[in-house]
Amino acid sequence: MFISVDGHNLHVALHGDEKAPVLVLLHSLGTSHDVWQEQVRVFSRSHYVICPDFRGHGLSDLSQSPVTIDALSSDVVAILTRLDVKDFHLAGISIGGLVAQCVAAALSDRVQTMTVFDSNIVSLAPQMWRDRASKIRADGLASIAGGVLARWMTPQAFDTNEGRGLATMLARMSSEGYAAGCDALAIADCRPHAPHLTMPVSVAVGEFDEATPPSANRALADAIAGAKFQIIPGAAHIPLFEQAEAVNTILAQSIRET
């Protein structure tokens, strides 16, 4: 479905029985709601799964104003309000993990559990993100696509159906949409939200993640009281396909913490 938020037409994929417990999944930079296909396939049997496309991603409009983590979070909150969602489980990967932290802080009385995959709590390399945004705006997203894909998955995954699918997601991504996400990551700082994350929290990261390495995810978990931390063996930055079974197990365990 499509929902208008702050002048933007935003796409939201809905799966499962709308009367079931709600699970909200927030995708990574350069992908879309489709990156969660293996999780939707499993969890839509027991949950009403809501997967928004961020501004400039998937079928959602490009942003008409500078993109920030707070702006993306406000979009998600507005979508959930429009859908009349009360209590829900929340998960996010990469930039979606940062947005999840912001949403969970704003709606701490409604978020039952939060699971963060391959993310961080504060920008790891502000100037790198600014430089990347400039390069993409000058030369197009294709100019950095090879390096991005090399971080998303291990070499063994490149020639799988899922690996080719990830490459297609990136190839169809708007250059400006990706660059705007880089702008948001350059200034991302969720540290003020950590004290408000009182729900059960799990943080997991791919063993070989170079984009948001285990140390950054450990720092995120350490900043949140009681948060659990796990490493996903054999995974890079986007384990949702490559190590789907492990991801699904972690997410199921997290949801049971309610």
Side-chain angles (χ1 to χ4, degrees):
M1 70 179 300
F2 291 89
I3 295 176
S4 180
V5 177
D6 192 25
H8 298 87
N9 195 33
L10 302 181
H11 178 250
V12 187
L14 305 172
H15 306 272
D17 182 354
E18 62 183 24
K19 296 180 181 178
V22 175
L23 171 62
V24 178
L25 302 176
L26 305 179
H27 64 77
S28 52
L29 178 65
T31 63
S32 70
H33 69 277
D34 282 320
V35 80
W36 292 103
Q37 284 186 13
E38 287 300 311
Q39 289 66 53
V40 168
R41 182 179 61 83
V42 171
F43 287 93
S44 61
R45 301 168 188 164
S46 56
H47 290 75
Y48 186 43
V49 184
I50 299 174
C51 303
D53 283 335
F54 293 143
R55 298 183 190 189
H57 290 70
L59 299 178
S60 291
D61 284 349
L62 286 169
S63 185
Q64 301 168 17
S65 56
V67 174
T68 63
I69 300 301
D70 285 343
L72 297 176
S73 169
S74 294
D75 289 345
V76 174
V77 171
I79 288 168
L80 296 177
T81 299
R82 203 74 53 86
L83 294 174
D84 196 28
V85 172
K86 306 303 183 189
D87 297 339
F88 60 99
H89 300 279
L90 178 63
I93 181 169
S94 192
I95 193 173
L98 288 158
V99 177
Q101 293 170 60
C102 194
V103 171
L107 303 178
S108 60
D109 58 332
R110 292 162 55 188
V111 177
Q112 296 171 292
T113 64
M114 182 176 73
T115 312
V116 176
F117 295 97
D118 299 85
S119 192
N120 50 293
I121 193 169
V122 64
S123 183
L124 302 179
Q127 191 57 50
M128 182 277 288
W129 287 116
R130 294 187 187 100
D131 292 344
R132 180 171 291 189
S134 296
K135 179 170 179 55
I136 292 168
R137 289 184 170 113
D139 302 325
L141 180 54
S143 67
I144 67 161
V148 171
L149 290 170
R151 288 175 175 245
W152 280 7
M153 56 188 133
T154 65
Q156 294 83 357
F158 270 83
D159 289 331
T160 64
N161 292 336
E162 293 79 8
R164 291 194 293 272
L166 278 173
T168 299
M169 282 188 215
L170 186 63
R172 294 182 178 178
M173 177 72 196
S174 156
S175 291
E176 178 53 35
Y178 194 102
C182 293
D183 293 337
L185 288 170
I187 59 172
D189 188 353
C190 289
R191 289 174 294 186
H193 299 315
H196 304 286
L197 303 177
T198 55
M199 70 291 297
V201 174
S202 295
V203 178
V205 58
E207 176 185 9
F208 303 119
D209 189 342
E210 296 180 359
T212 54
S215 59
N217 285 265
R218 169 66 79 177
L220 167 59
D222 287 348
I224 301 170
K228 296 182 177 179
F229 174 75
Q230 298 180 67
I231 290 179
I232 304 172
H237 184 57
I238 299 184
L240 305 183
F241 289 116
E242 191 172 1
Q243 297 296 336
E245 185 174 350
V247 168
N248 291 348
T249 297
I250 291 167
L251 188 52
Q253 290 173 341
S254 180
I255 288 173
R256 286 199 293 268
E257 292 291 320
T258 304

